[in-house]
Structure formats: structure tokens, C-alpha cells
Amino acid sequence: MIVDVLKQKFPDIEGLRVRDIVVDKTSKRITCVVTTPVLSKLDFALRNDIINAAKDCLPKGYVSYVSMKNDLFTSVTYRNFFLEVLKKRFVAISNIKKDNVIVKEQPGRHFEISLTVNQVQKSLIDELDFINRYTAYNDGYTSYSVDINITVVEQDLSIEIANQKMYEQLAISKHLSRPQRYVAVSDLKVLVGKKIGGKPCYISDVREARDNCVLCGVVSEKKSMKAKNNPGIYITKFVLTDISEASMPVVVFTKLQTENVDVIKQATGKGDAEAQTVSKKNQLSNERKMKMLLGLYDGTEVVVFGKVAKSSFNGNWELTARDISMCRIVGQDNSSTLVRALPDKYLLVKPKVYQQYRQQSLIDTEDVPVPFELSGSIVFLDINATGLNPLKDKVFKLCAVKMTNGKIVESLSCTLNPECDIEQRKLSESNVSVEKLVVSPTLSEVVGDLYKFCHGCSIASFNTDKFMEMIKYYATPVGYIFDNKLIRLPDLLTRLYDIAGENKRPNMTVLAEIAKSLHVPLDSQTDCFATAMVSARCVSEISKKRSDL
């Protein structure tokens, strides 16, 4: 590990830690932060030596960005850090209220945390082995030590238990709710080991150690060498990159049979003639193995089966291959064997309901009949994302507005954790901050709520096909099948303008022009919370103008 190397090279520097390691495989960039409580005492040259030593520990082929920060917390900042760790790593107990967490700083870089919890939370803390696991995480993150004291308060748990069940469900299904996507391959030809039968999953979906994992992709950076301590072992290393542009290092160990006649005679007790025969067989077997490995060159499409574990060198995931076959990568496998039922209730994001008020009077006139195009329910959907390529882009904000028979009835909106860095320009345009995204759920976790909200409705947007492609990328692998009718919003608006008999028309692909023509205020053209609602309001306004009555 990087921190162990730094401690060996700089034993006199107190409290060295390495935190916030981020690997961007798309741009081949790695960033990390080295911290110490004595940063102010280190001169520039020594800081530079520490940064260079950390860079030397990072994988080659990546651009490395290493910075140094002072390892300093106050009781307030450490409490915020503690609550953030609960939300990210201990979801089952993340509903502990902020007021029930008291942090006191003690002499000698030490914090004491006092937690006030109920009986259910205490049982979960025990089941999770929370104190030991949090202490271990804290020791790796900062040089401050910590003690956690727990006080249990007896209370009526009728409501709390219901809420706690939701948190337990989130904690248990948090991993399962992440999409498990698969890649379709064909024309398999065995190179090493046996023919592979399972479906290859996406490299980006591998988040834990697996004894039996199937991946596929394109080979690059292939290297071959003999093992230093065992000449009978031949090591082949390469990087596997799949269609989502995620990568994983792969290691293949090939055991070569001895061809030395004297060694064979000594090991088996065979005579000269028999030993010569065994030697020739071993030679042919070794040549066959090496010939197969020669077929593994940069640019080859392969499917690999083996064990995924953390590398002892850099702590990143690495696959030790047992079987390798050449293949032709067809693309994403869209056949989902899992189909979920409609959820009984909203789990993470609840819709906002709009009450329709209507004044009754003697002179009240009848409503204008709703056009046929607006009969039933339509959901107006918009998203903020890094792009529209579902294989590599991420959604970080979503809004859906439901209209039933021409009336806006409810909306569902939320910010989403994209699990990647977002450009500051996009954050500003979307009126969202990094701090907000960090504590938000992912799209995979809220897709069930979106599915329930959109069930039985048509979906309309300016870019419906692309938006739904992004949504389905996360929804289909976890069993939520969006088979809604899709409507292009420009086509719907054009039809409604025809019914209204409006000759002067705005550009139907520009929301700002449409809103202006219908006198609908538009606060932002780049925030999906605003654009989805304004799209629905524009449709509602133009539907009230009918020349066919």
C-alpha cells in the first residue's frame, strides 16, 4: 500500500495518511491526497519528495495528481465527517439524528463520540460490528484516534421500526440494486484452459471480490515474462477494456512442464528411453501453450474467466485468469431474466402532489375539453447528465412531471450521485453542488421509484429516445422494464398548435421560444427541475386554445 511505502521512506514524519484516491480510467488519471498533522513544519523540498514517492507507487500508464493537506479536524468538522461516513458506508444506521451525535475533542489528537440511539439502532450497531469497522476506517483516513460511547434510550418504536425496516432494506439491497449488465459475445475460440460458458459482465459492475468472474474486452499493454523465483512459471499480464471503457488488469500464470531428461528421471524413476519420451511430450505441450499465448496480442477481443481480488501491490481490483477465449464482442446483452413487479410504495423519492383548486360560481363556465392527444396520463421527463452515451455518461439530476387529462397532478424530482466527477460548469448550469450530490442516492437506487411514477403513462421529452436509453441502461438489469409509449415533445406541441389554429409558431425544438410565445415563465434553460415543469405547463396552456370547437 502507498501509505506503508511512505512510512518506510519517511519514518520521522508523524501521522502520514493517504486518502481520497480517485481513479479515472477514461482519461487515465489518478488523484490522491497525502495528509499529515505536521504539514506546516515540512519545507517545500521534503513535501515534493513525499509527493514523488507517492507517485512512484501509483500504476504506470496513468497521469498522477498527488497533493498534500494538513490532517486537521475540529469537533464540528469531525462530526460532519462522521455523519457522512454513516450515509456512505453504514446505510442501515444512517438515520441516527445529527442532534444525537456529540463529538468532543480531547488532548493528544483524540475524539470522543457519544451516540444516543434507540433499541433497534443499537441492535443494528452490534450486528454490523460498527464500532470496530468504523475505528478501522478512521485509522486509515486520519491520524486522530477515536472512542465511541453508546447510550440507549427506551422509546415507543412503532413508527421507528417501520422506518428502520426501510433503512435495513436499503442497506441489504444497496449492492443488489446496482445494475448487473452483460455483454453479448460470439465466435469463441479457446486460447487458455477450457471454453467459457457464462455471460461476461461489465467491468464497471465488479465492486467486490469474486471467485468466478467472466469479463470480456480488448487486450492492451500485454507483457510476458518468466517468474523470477520459478522458471517453470510463465507470467502474462495485460489490461482488459470493455465496451463501457472501464478497464481491469489481468494476470495469467502458465505452468511449463520440465523438458530436462535428468530431472524427469530423478523425479519419476523412469529409464532413459521413457524419460526421453516424457521430455518430448512436455516440449510439445509447452510449445502448444506458448503458441496459444502468442495469439493473445494487443487489440485482440477476448473473454476471460477467473478470480477477482485486490492487488497486493496497489490495492486495485485485478483478475487472475484461468480460462481465456478469443471472441467477437457483439455489444450489450439486453436480454434481462429478472422482471420486478410494480413496487408497493415509494422508497427513496416521494412525488409532490399538486392540488387542483376551482372556484364554483353561478357564472362558472365549463372547462375546455381536453384534446385526444392528452387523454390519459403523460410524464414529461428531463435529466441533467454528463452526456447522452449510457455506456460512459452519468445522470446527476432528474425531474418527471405527470399530467392527467390535461392537468398537472404531481411531480417527482431528485438529485443523484453520479459516482464520478462533474465539471463545475455543468454543476452551475444545473443549480447543484458537489456537497448535495455526494449525499444523494444513485440512479440505480431510485429507478424503482421512477418506474412506479411512470407506470401506465406515456413519456414525453425533447430527446425521449436518448433519455430513456440512459434510464433503461440502469433499470433493465435490475428488473424494471420501461415499456412506456414514447412521445417526442416537438411532435406533440406541433399537433396541439394545429388544433389551436395558431399560425404564428415558435421553433418547436427550443423550449425558451415556446415558453415565451405562451407567456410561461422559464427560470432556467439548463436545470431539468425547471425545464420539465415548464414543458408540462406549455402543453397545458396550448391545449386550452381550441379552434375545432
Side-chain angles (χ1 to χ4, degrees):
M1 299 298 287
I2 302 174
V3 68
D4 296 327
V5 174
L6 294 181
K7 287 180 178 179
Q8 290 176 2
K9 289 188 176 182
F10 307 97
D12 298 330
I13 299 178
E14 178 187 345
L16 280 172
R17 297 290 189 276
V18 179
R19 65 172 72 152
D20 300 334
I21 300 176
V22 178
V23 180
D24 187 343
K25 294 181 180 178
T26 303
S27 59
K28 292 287 185 179
R29 181 178 67 177
I30 298 180
T31 61
C32 69
V33 179
V34 179
T35 64
T36 174
V38 294
L39 182 64
S40 59
K41 299 179 181 179
L42 307 182
D43 58 34
F44 178 79
L46 184 53
R47 294 185 190 186
N48 199 42
D49 290 342
I50 296 172
I51 290 174
N52 289 332
K55 286 183 177 181
D56 291 341
C57 298
L58 298 175
K60 306 302 179 185
Y62 284 79
V63 180
S64 303
Y65 296 91
V66 180
S67 59
M68 291 195 69
K69 289 184 179 180
N70 197 10
D71 186 5
L72 181 64
F73 281 101
T74 65
S75 57
V76 174
T77 57
Y78 190 84
R79 182 170 75 159
N80 293 336
F81 164 73
F82 176 81
L83 293 170
E84 185 176 339
V85 173
L86 288 188
K87 290 180 181 178
K88 288 184 177 180
R89 294 177 173 269
F90 302 96
V91 181
I93 56 173
S94 61
N95 62 332
I96 296 176
K97 295 180 180 179
K98 185 176 181 179
D99 294 340
N100 292 338
V101 179
I102 299 175
V103 177
K104 293 183 179 179
E105 187 173 3
Q106 304 295 334
R109 296 181 64 79
H110 181 76
F111 284 110
E112 285 190 359
I113 301 176
S114 298
L115 298 181
T116 303
V117 300
N118 60 41
Q119 305 96 301
V120 176
Q121 292 168 336
K122 178 60 169 65
S123 65
L124 283 171
I125 287 173
D126 294 338
E127 290 176 16
L128 292 170
D129 191 21
F130 167 71
I131 294 179
N132 291 330
R133 289 173 61 191
Y134 177 81
T135 303
Y137 177 79
N138 175 85
D139 293 344
Y141 191 88
T142 178
S143 58
Y144 284 89
S145 58
V146 63
D147 283 331
I148 301 177
N149 302 311
I150 298 175
T151 302
V152 180
V153 177
E154 301 288 338
Q155 62 182 44
D156 180 12
L157 297 179
S158 56
I159 298 177
E160 188 63 34
I161 289 176
N163 291 335
Q164 194 63 45
K165 286 182 178 178
M166 182 187 75
Y167 281 96
E168 288 181 50
Q169 184 179 354
L170 285 176
I172 294 169
S173 65
K174 187 175 179 66
H175 172 74
L176 297 177
S177 66
R178 293 180 180 273
Q180 290 294 313
R181 297 171 285 270
Y182 296 96
V183 183
V185 295
S186 64
D187 304 335
L188 270 66
K189 180 181 178 182
V190 175
L191 285 178
V192 177
K194 303 176 181 178
K195 187 175 180 179
I196 300 169
K199 286 184 179 181
C201 67
Y202 277 36
I203 293 175
S204 57
D205 289 341
V206 179
R207 303 178 183 86
E208 62 180 1
R210 298 185 184 183
D211 290 332
N212 301 294
C213 183
V214 182
L215 302 174
C216 71
V218 178
V219 174
S220 63
E221 303 178 33
K222 179 196 170 187
K223 298 176 184 177
S224 298
M225 66 203 81
K226 286 186 177 180
K228 294 180 180 179
N229 301 328
N230 189 344
I233 300 294
Y234 205 79
I235 303 174
T236 303
K237 296 183 177 182
F238 59 89
V239 176
L240 191 69
T241 305
D242 67 6
I243 60 175
S244 67
E245 300 184 11
S247 301
M248 180 173 290
V250 178
V251 182
V252 188
F253 294 96
T254 304
K255 186 176 182 180
L256 302 178
Q257 303 295 328
T258 181
E259 301 173 14
N260 189 300
V261 176
D262 293 332
V263 173
I264 295 172
K265 288 168 61 178
Q266 187 176 9
T268 62
K270 296 181 181 293
D272 290 344
E274 290 179 315
Q276 287 283 356
T277 302
V278 173
S279 175
K280 288 181 180 179
K281 288 183 178 179
N282 289 348
Q283 183 180 0
L284 291 173
S285 175
N286 292 340
E287 288 177 355
R288 186 166 58 252
K289 291 178 181 179
M290 296 308 297
K291 184 177 180 180
M292 287 183 171
L293 287 175
L294 287 174
L296 193 67
Y297 51 85
D298 286 2
T300 308
E301 293 183 349
V302 296
V303 57
V304 183
F305 172 76
K307 179 179 180 179
V308 174
K310 288 286 185 74
S311 167
S312 58
F313 169 68
N314 55 23
N316 293 329
W317 294 116
E318 180 181 79
L319 186 142
T320 302
R322 298 195 286 269
D323 304 320
I324 303 177
S325 295
M326 293 179 63
C327 68
R328 184 174 69 86
I329 298 176
V330 179
Q332 183 178 358
D333 186 347
N334 292 315
S335 58
S336 175
T337 56
L338 174 66
V339 178
R340 292 180 185 264
L342 183 68
D344 295 330
K345 60 181 180 180
Y346 292 98
L347 191 60
L348 284 176
V349 186
K350 292 181 173 58
K352 178 181 179 181
V353 179
Y354 297 94
Q355 185 69 38
Q356 296 293 329
Y357 295 100
R358 180 179 176 187
Q359 181 178 357
Q360 299 293 333
S361 70
L362 294 175
I363 59 172
D364 188 22
T365 59
E366 294 183 358
D367 288 339
V368 176
V370 177
F372 172 77
E373 287 76 8
L374 299 185
S375 59
S377 295
I378 301 176
V379 170
F380 296 86
L381 176 69
D382 203 359
I383 62 174
N384 288 124
T386 57
L388 293 177
N389 183 346
L391 296 179
K392 61 181 181 180
D393 291 315
K394 304 292 183 180
V395 180
F396 58 91
K397 206 170 182 182
L398 178 148
C399 184
V401 180
K402 185 182 293 185
M403 175 183 288
T404 300
N405 295 325
K407 305 288 186 182
I408 296 174
V409 293
E410 57 184 347
S411 66
L412 183 141
S413 57
C414 60
T415 55
L416 302 166
N417 187 339
E419 300 181 298
C420 72
D421 292 333
I422 305 293
E423 296 177 14
Q424 185 57 49
R425 176 182 60 84
K426 285 187 174 292
L427 294 176
S428 300
E429 291 176 351
S430 307
N431 297 320
V432 69
S433 65
V434 173
E435 292 76 15
K436 178 69 174 176
L437 296 182
V438 166
V439 297
S440 298
T442 63
L443 178 55
S444 302
E445 292 164 349
V446 303
V447 72
D449 292 336
L450 180 63
Y451 177 73
K452 180 175 177 63
F453 185 81
C454 296
H455 184 69
C457 304
S458 301
I459 297 178
S461 178
F462 283 100
N463 210 344
T464 320
D465 292 338
K466 285 293 184 181
F467 288 176
M468 290 312 299
E469 189 177 352
M470 296 283 288
I471 300 297
K472 290 178 180 179
Y473 181 79
Y474 290 90
T476 303
V478 294
Y480 292 116
I481 310 301
F482 282 80
D483 55 0
N484 309 67
K485 177 184 176 182
L486 304 183
I487 300 173
R488 288 187 69 253
L489 190 52
D491 295 342
L492 176 61
L493 286 166
T494 299
R495 175 58 183 153
L496 294 175
Y497 267 81
D498 288 342
I499 295 174
E502 295 282 343
N503 295 322
K504 187 177 180 180
R505 303 184 182 187
N507 186 338
M508 293 300 177
T509 62
V510 181
L511 181 59
E513 293 186 19
I514 300 167
K516 183 178 179 180
S517 72
L518 295 171
H519 307 291
V520 176
L522 176 60
D523 296 332
S524 172
Q525 299 182 45
T526 53
D527 183 354
C528 68
F529 283 15
T531 53
M533 179 58 72
V534 170
S535 297
R537 289 190 60 193
C538 287
V539 169
S540 178
E541 288 299 319
I542 190 61
S543 68
K544 297 174 184 177
K545 303 178 181 181
R546 300 194 58 173
S547 62
D548 58 340
L549 295 179

